[in-house]
């Protein structure tokens, strides 16, 4: 399966996905694209031999459709079977999402359906939750709300700052997303359910 990955910044999740696909894997990374030409992940993707593209969303102020039309060019040229959003921080229009219905997935740093949107870790701490985590889901027109493909649970520790929790969750995202993409690229949509203790007995 041809896999395109959309990023906005460092691309730590993209790196793990690309590295995992360099082994025996049903998917192959064919493009890494960003809404920010300065995204550090673009250089990392190029260094791993993956073609890259970028469309500066700031050049399309207030013209979401125009930005998406520009992003669509390199995306369609790559002929992806699957699109992974990985730290991609732009909201996509229903029209764009529908075009890739059933083959676009995203990782969100909360235990959806809790805390869609931003500042997820601060909200979990504020609510006094004992657990936080990350969710991989299919992308549908409603933000952060498509069918769940994977979830990893992480303990919230006393005195956690949102930065500390974010770092603990990010480590688990890097295990969850590759596991989900392997299964999804093989045509299996059954959810991957992980807990940090399974992966990090030391927590
Ligand atoms: C992180 O906050 C991660 O939780 C979320 O997107 C942000 C950047 O991820 N998925 P990445 O390092 O660019 O993959």
């Amino acid at each position: 399966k041809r896999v395109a990955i959309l990023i906005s910044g460092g691309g730590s999740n993209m790196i793990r996905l690309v590295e995992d696909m360099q082994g025996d894997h049903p998917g192959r990374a064919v493009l890494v694209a960003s809404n920010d030409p300065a995204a550090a992940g673009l250089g990392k993707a190029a260094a791993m031999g993956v073609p890259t593209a970028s469309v500066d969303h700031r050049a399309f102020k207030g013209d979401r459709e125009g930005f998406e039309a520009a992003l669509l060019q390199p995306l369609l040229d790559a002929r992806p079977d699957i699109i992974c959003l990985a730290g991609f921080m732009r909201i996509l229009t229903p029209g764009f999402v529908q075009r890739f219905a059933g083959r676009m997935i995203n990782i969100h740093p909360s235990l959806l359906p809790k805390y869609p949107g931003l500042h997820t870790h601060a909200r979990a701490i504020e609510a006094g939750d004992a657990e936080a985590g990350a969710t991989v889901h299919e992308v549908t027109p409603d933000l952060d709300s498509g069918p769940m493909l994977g979830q990893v649970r992480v303990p919230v520790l006393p005195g956690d700052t949102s930065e500390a929790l974010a770092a603990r969750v990010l480590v688990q995202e890097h295990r969850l997303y590759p596991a989900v993409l392997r299964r999804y690229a093989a045509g299996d949509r059954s959810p991957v359910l992980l807990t940090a203790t399974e992966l990090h007995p030391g927590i």
Side-chain angles (χ1 to χ4, degrees):
K1 288 282 189 343
R2 300 171 62 86
V3 177
I5 306 172
L6 300 187
I7 65 170
S8 293
S12 72
N13 277 290
M14 173 274 297
I15 292 167
R16 270 64 180 194
L17 294 176
V18 171
E19 286 174 346
D20 199 42
M21 284 188 272
Q22 286 171 341
D24 172 29
H25 193 295
R28 182 163 66 84
V30 296
L31 178 71
V32 170
S34 178
N35 62 291
D36 180 354
L42 291 171
K44 296 170 190 163
M48 293 189 285
V50 183
T52 61
S54 70
V55 176
D56 190 341
H57 70 274
R58 288 171 290 253
F60 297 89
K61 267 205 186 350
D63 177 11
R64 198 178 289 273
E65 276 72 13
F67 163 69
E68 291 183 352
L71 181 62
L72 214 44
Q73 287 315 309
L75 209 44
L76 295 179
D77 290 349
R79 293 181 289 108
D81 300 301
I82 295 171
I83 296 178
C84 296
L85 308 182
F88 186 69
M89 304 306 276
R90 307 300 296 169
I91 293 177
L92 296 165
T93 62
F96 188 96
V97 170
Q98 294 296 10
R99 182 185 281 267
F100 299 103
R103 56 197 182 105
M104 185 186 298
I105 65 179
N106 177 47
I107 188 161
H108 177 77
S110 79
L111 297 174
L112 290 174
K114 293 179 89 168
Y115 314 129
L118 297 174
H119 312 301
T120 59
H121 303 305
R123 290 154 68 190
I125 292 168
E126 182 60 34
D129 294 352
E131 283 188 323
T135 305
V136 178
H137 62 95
E138 275 198 347
V139 176
T140 59
D142 303 330
L143 185 67
D144 297 333
S145 62
M148 192 260 278
L149 295 168
Q151 201 156 70
V152 61
R153 314 183 80 83
V154 169
V156 178
L157 302 177
D160 258 347
T161 60
S162 57
E163 290 76 17
L165 181 54
R168 190 175 312 125
V169 171
L170 193 59
V171 169
Q172 301 304 323
E173 290 181 36
H174 296 163
R175 288 174 168 70
L176 178 68
Y177 213 171
V180 170
L181 181 56
R182 274 181 178 271
R183 201 176 277 195
Y184 193 74
D188 177 354
R189 280 171 165 68
S190 59
V192 176
L193 302 176
L194 303 177
T195 54
T197 43
E198 265 173 11
L199 297 159
H200 276 272
I203 276 189

